[in-house]
Amino acid sequence: MSHLVEIVLDCRHASSLARFWEVALGWRIRPYDEAEVARLASLGLTPETDPTVAIDSPDGSLVFFLQEVPEPKTVKNRMHVDVRLRDEAHLEQLVRLGATVLSEHDGWRVLADPEGNEFCARHGGLV
């Protein structure tokens, strides 16, 4: 049976954008073990310059990957994620981290992350 295992977001700076999405999703950036740090070092990289950063869902069933690409975002996303906010303070935290509110609707808002990737932020029990 097929099932979704990863969502990959192209970006310019994976490490810094991963910290934003870690807060937005309430998930955790995958820790770097010694073997991964050594692998990155062999490529002249560090966890701070890693071009692919994984954020794992709490149950491990899904990964949100940030993947650096050379070209900038130029048009509206063809696909986006919806995030359920804990409360209004969660929205305020995302804005402090660089999110922009693009539009407001009944019970949800369209936001852009610090690199301009659109996503929907919903309140409480709304789907």
Side-chain angles (χ1 to χ4, degrees):
M1 177 187 310
S2 298
H3 64 280
L4 184 64
V5 294
E6 296 174 353
I7 298 170
V8 180
L9 182 64
D10 290 347
C11 64
R12 300 290 291 176
H13 303 286
S15 179
S16 60
L17 196 58
R19 288 189 291 277
F20 173 87
W21 281 102
E22 179 179 45
V23 172
L25 297 171
W27 296 4
R28 186 168 177 227
I29 293 173
R30 184 176 297 161
Y32 289 86
D33 61 19
E34 288 182 27
E36 182 61 7
V37 171
R39 185 190 73 79
L40 288 172
S42 74
L43 299 171
L45 300 168
T46 69
E48 288 301 314
T49 59
D50 187 355
T52 57
V53 179
I55 306 171
D56 296 312
S57 65
D59 67 2
S61 66
L62 191 61
V63 179
F64 193 84
F65 262 109
L66 288 290
Q67 171 182 278
E68 289 183 10
V69 296
E71 64 277 352
K73 179 183 177 300
T74 57
V75 297
K76 182 183 181 305
N77 297 21
R78 293 292 306 259
M79 184 171 71
H80 68 271
V81 296
D82 286 5
V83 175
R84 180 170 290 129
L85 300 175
R86 293 183 306 273
D87 50 29
E88 193 67 21
H90 189 191
L91 173 67
E92 292 167 7
Q93 183 180 23
L94 295 179
V95 170
R96 281 192 308 274
L97 291 172
T100 303
V101 177
L102 300 177
S103 61
E104 298 190 29
H105 308 274
D106 187 27
W108 59 281
R109 294 179 174 108
V110 177
L111 281 80
D113 73 12
E115 290 194 7
N117 301 296
E118 296 94 357
F119 65 101
C120 290
R122 299 180 182 278
H123 294 277
L126 297 175
V127 179

